Amino acid sequence: YRISQDSAVPKLLLLAQLAVKATGADIGGISLIFRTHALVVAGAGVDAQQLERITSICSHAVEHQTAFFEVPNLMLAPQFSSKQFPEMQHYAAATLFSRRGYVLGTLWVMTRRPGRLDESQRLLLQGLGRLVVDALEMHYCDAVTGMHNRSALVGQVQDLIALAEAPELSIAYID
């Protein structure tokens, strides 16, 4: 999904805001997880930003490969302490799975006080997470075929070329 912190999709911003409201959180966002970093592509109470994957709480959430991940008190779990948001004490996230089962990232919320989401808040967060995936897939994939649209494909090829460590790169494109 070709998206950057500079090109936030309005639907994603709205979904992040809804997640914060639905859970009573102080901040929240949508993070996409990459090999070396986490990219906050939409935020409520937080700016879009790029974080090192190793220090991102969201990377811990996606590594668990569960639909929901929560740390009730970040102060009691030093491995999850947030260097980016040190005043926050509670973290909850819905993991974003593509239709094909790939982990994309998280829809997350944080509060300044320890706590837990209740069952309805968890359900709302997970439902909003599904809407995030739908918005990503509709924006970047053809609705009928499920294939990446041409502009997304070209962008991904350009990214691969930029990241290629080999002196040559072969790409076949059949239209």
Side-chain angles (χ1 to χ4, degrees):
Y1 301 97
R2 186 174 171 81
I3 192 167
S4 72
Q5 65 195 49
D6 301 324
S7 64
V9 177
K11 286 181 187 176
L12 297 181
L13 290 171
L14 177 61
L15 290 168
Q17 292 168 344
L18 287 171
V20 167
K21 289 286 186 190
T23 60
D26 295 307
I27 64 172
I30 298 166
S31 294
L32 299 181
I33 304 296
F34 298 90
R35 197 174 337 153
T36 60
H37 64 282
L39 186 63
V40 179
V41 296
V46 60
D47 293 330
Q49 58 188 288
Q50 182 172 313
L51 311 168
E52 288 185 44
R53 181 174 175 152
I54 197 162
T55 63
S56 166
I57 299 174
C58 296
S59 68
H60 292 286
V62 300
E63 287 169 9
H64 279 83
Q65 300 255 336
T66 58
F68 180 77
F69 181 80
E70 187 169 33
V71 182
N73 190 339
L74 294 167
M75 302 303 169
L76 299 178
Q79 71 272 29
F80 300 120
S81 67
S82 175
K83 292 174 179 57
Q84 297 83 24
F85 311 110
E87 69 282 4
M88 297 298 155
Q89 293 189 31
H90 170 250
Y91 173 88
T95 305
L96 306 175
F97 293 95
S98 72
R99 278 187 274 174
R100 295 185 175 159
Y102 298 109
V103 178
L104 305 174
T106 60
L107 170 61
W108 55 271
V109 294
M110 295 179 88
T111 60
R112 289 185 179 87
R113 64 200 174 290
R116 287 190 180 275
L117 297 185
D118 63 35
E119 186 62 34
S120 65
Q121 291 171 319
R122 282 193 295 273
L123 183 62
L124 278 167
L125 191 63
Q126 289 175 293
L128 290 169
R130 186 67 237 162
L131 292 174
V132 168
V133 173
D134 290 347
L136 286 168
E137 290 183 345
M138 291 197 57
H139 189 76
Y140 297 101
C141 296
D142 182 88
V144 175
T145 65
M147 303 288 289
H148 288 286
N149 60 38
R150 187 179 305 247
S151 62
L153 174 65
V154 169
Q156 287 179 343
V157 168
Q158 289 171 339
D159 288 346
L160 287 172
I161 291 170
L163 292 172
E165 295 178 16
E168 295 180 11
L169 178 67
S170 298
I171 298 173
Y173 176 71
I174 301 171
D175 190 10

